[in-house]
Amino acid sequence: MQTEPARDVLPDDPAGTDTGDSFPDDLRDHLSFEFEECAHELAGLVDDYAVDRERAGTILRLRLGISGDRPETLTRIGARLDFSRDRARQLHTKAAGELLRHTARAGRLPVPEYARRYPVGTRDSVLTRALLAETYATDTDIAVNDLSYLKLRLAGHTAADAKRIAGFVTQRIVGWRKKTNHLLSRLRADGTPAGPPPPWPNRIDWPTGSGSPAPLPTAPARTFDLDDDGRGWFYLHKPGRDIGFDSGLEARLLRLLDTDDRIHTFQEYPDAVGYRIDGEEYLHFPTVVAELTDGRRVLIDEQPLGHIGFHVNRMKCAAARARAHENGWGWLLWTGSSVGEPELAARRVPAGIENRLSELLAEGPARLPALRQLRADTGFDLLDLITLVIRHEWQWDRAPFRLAAG
């Protein structure tokens, strides 16, 4: 039996089922290049597998959130590809199994990056807590069972062990969700949920001009379907009704709004905002628009700190910010951390690191091996990379990894 790895493991239960709302205090403490290495490897495996199975590869990419986008629901995958939710589940399960067999035939199982992160022989409780922590930190609750199982299988765990541990993770997510539904949300909290309070005044990007802001919508722009294990709903006092959430991180934002005296009320998923990537049009649904007690309104989008640098999410932010200002609303990107866009703008990165990375990108797009070497030479961390991507408006495609200037 191997000893418990200290890396990326929390002492408390991030799903809150054992000790209340014991979420990670700050997502910045759980940023990891190692996790991005795993995502890069998974993308490569899916691309290899999908050469002759294009539809199956598309299903895996959508369901697993490989690009850094939030994992897609089975219902929406089915709608996009013109089949039912049950058929989407069947096809995803088949594709995941085929991916593992394809990887094994190629002699690439176990995948070293996954084997180091989720070592065979580690206690179930340790793996469960690590998987729960990264589920929360990466906002991937709705695909928690699929992702947990696949990560463990890629690490070399047997199918039976991976299924058992993934089941524990899913049960904890569902248990927290039920606790939120039936206990936490029915009573006014004595204080705000664990973690840093939202510093609304100094983070909000207000539009110029003095026109009257557009009113709050009276209904969500997005249809909410409770078809995945990580999803839930709870009653919130300010809106005076039940509201659905996709993840623990999103639920935490909604609870913060409901307990903040500066917030009068709010509406979830207030608008459908179009954005474009590689010539393709997509829709994004920002998380919530809140009305402050002074009558001003602010559009708030929740994205985990470690994901805000990805190109897909930068495009979403730009489109949502523009829509907010068109409506006379403020704009706020909520990261689940004490670090947001304003803090990143003011954050200092050693000049040597910034210069080396800028010089590297001046020669053309950088791939992961070049970044590994630069990290070995300079010791820069993931928050340094996120800071520089946002400051210089670089394009960071997550998986497979590609970083380009402009």
Side-chain angles (χ1 to χ4, degrees):
M1 182 75 68
Q2 297 186 27
T3 58
E4 297 184 6
R7 178 179 66 245
D8 297 313
V9 177
L10 297 177
D12 297 317
D13 169 21
T17 51
D18 289 342
T19 57
D21 267 345
S22 50
F23 292 105
D25 283 341
D26 199 313
L27 295 193
R28 68 180 299 175
D29 298 330
H30 305 286
L31 297 182
S32 170
F33 268 115
E34 183 184 52
F35 192 74
E36 295 309 312
E37 295 260 7
C38 287
H40 174 81
E41 291 302 316
L42 177 57
L45 295 175
V46 172
D47 285 348
D48 289 346
Y49 160 73
V51 169
D52 299 317
R53 301 169 181 82
E54 184 176 350
R55 185 180 70 173
T58 297
I59 292 171
L60 287 171
R61 293 185 189 100
L62 291 172
R63 181 59 176 167
L64 303 177
I66 290 174
S67 70
D69 210 346
R70 177 178 283 170
E72 194 56 273
T73 69
L74 296 168
T75 297
R76 290 178 65 88
I77 292 173
R80 179 180 296 198
L81 300 178
D82 197 25
F83 41 72
S84 69
R85 176 187 183 274
D86 287 343
R87 182 60 174 157
R89 165 56 76 191
Q90 292 169 1
L91 291 173
H92 177 265
T93 300
K94 179 181 178 181
E98 288 179 344
L99 173 68
L100 290 168
R101 290 190 290 274
H102 179 83
T103 304
R105 286 195 299 270
R108 300 176 65 183
L109 199 66
V111 178
E113 289 78 5
Y114 284 86
R116 288 193 295 268
R117 189 169 179 87
Y118 316 102
V120 173
T122 304
R123 290 204 301 267
D124 287 3
S125 60
V126 174
L127 290 170
T128 298
R129 283 201 294 262
L131 289 163
L132 278 166
E134 68 187 33
T135 298
Y136 177 74
T138 58
D139 212 24
T140 53
D141 304 41
I142 61 175
V144 60
N145 192 77
D146 296 335
L147 278 165
S148 297
Y149 176 82
L150 191 56
K151 290 171 184 176
L152 294 169
R153 294 287 283 124
L154 291 173
H157 293 263
T158 66
D161 286 349
K163 183 177 181 180
R164 182 183 69 255
I165 296 167
F168 293 155
V169 177
T170 302
Q171 289 169 13
R172 300 286 281 278
I173 292 284
V174 173
W176 173 82
R177 187 189 71 190
K178 289 180 178 178
K179 182 177 181 180
T180 299
N181 295 350
H182 301 300
L183 295 176
L184 297 179
S185 63
R186 298 296 172 177
L187 298 174
R188 185 77 174 178
D190 294 333
T192 58
W200 306 113
N202 61 10
R203 282 194 184 178
I204 297 173
D205 178 8
W206 294 105
T208 58
S210 57
S212 298
L216 263 64
T218 57
R222 168 190 166 194
T223 301
F224 194 85
D225 51 286
L226 292 172
D227 65 355
D228 285 82
D229 291 331
R231 281 197 151 159
W233 55 268
F234 53 5
Y235 179 86
L236 294 175
H237 296 269
K238 288 178 179 175
R241 55 186 167 80
D242 291 330
I243 289 183
F245 56 87
D246 280 340
S247 66
L249 195 59
E250 186 175 300
R252 185 176 182 181
L253 170 60
L254 294 171
R255 289 283 317 284
L256 285 166
L257 293 173
D258 204 47
T259 56
D260 194 314
D261 291 337
R262 293 166 287 191
I263 305 298
H264 171 62
T265 189
F266 48 90
Q267 170 65 57
E268 77 279 14
Y269 306 123
D271 203 354
V273 178
Y275 67 100
R276 179 186 292 268
I277 292 183
D278 297 331
E280 296 289 330
E281 293 283 350
Y282 300 92
L283 282 179
H284 173 54
F285 299 88
T287 310
V288 65
V289 60
E291 182 174 274
L292 280 62
T293 53
D294 62 10
R296 293 180 297 171
R297 291 157 194 142
V298 55
L299 184 65
I300 306 170
D301 205 13
E302 172 264 306
Q303 290 181 12
L305 177 62
H307 287 192
I308 65 172
F310 300 148
H311 181 55
V312 60
N313 291 330
R314 298 313 300 161
M315 294 300 98
K316 289 179 181 179
C317 284
R321 178 182 181 274
R323 180 63 58 85
H325 286 185
E326 287 172 8
N327 288 336
W329 300 341
W331 159 252
L332 173 67
L333 181 65
W334 189 80
T335 66
S337 169
S338 59
V339 177
E341 287 184 307
E343 289 75 23
L344 290 174
R347 185 174 182 272
R348 296 186 63 182
V349 175
I353 293 175
E354 187 165 2
N355 292 339
R356 285 281 301 276
L357 195 50
S358 296
E359 291 169 0
L360 177 64
L361 297 185
E363 300 173 0
R367 303 290 180 173
L368 196 56
L371 200 73
R372 289 192 192 110
Q373 184 59 54
L374 186 58
R375 286 187 59 222
D377 293 343
T378 65
F380 80 95
D381 61 25
L382 194 60
L383 198 57
D384 291 332
L385 178 60
I386 296 170
T387 299
L388 295 176
V389 165
I390 293 175
R391 180 175 299 162
H392 295 288
E393 298 184 348
W394 291 337
Q395 181 174 328
W396 177 11
D397 296 304
R398 184 196 194 195
F401 182 94
R402 180 181 180 274
L403 186 65

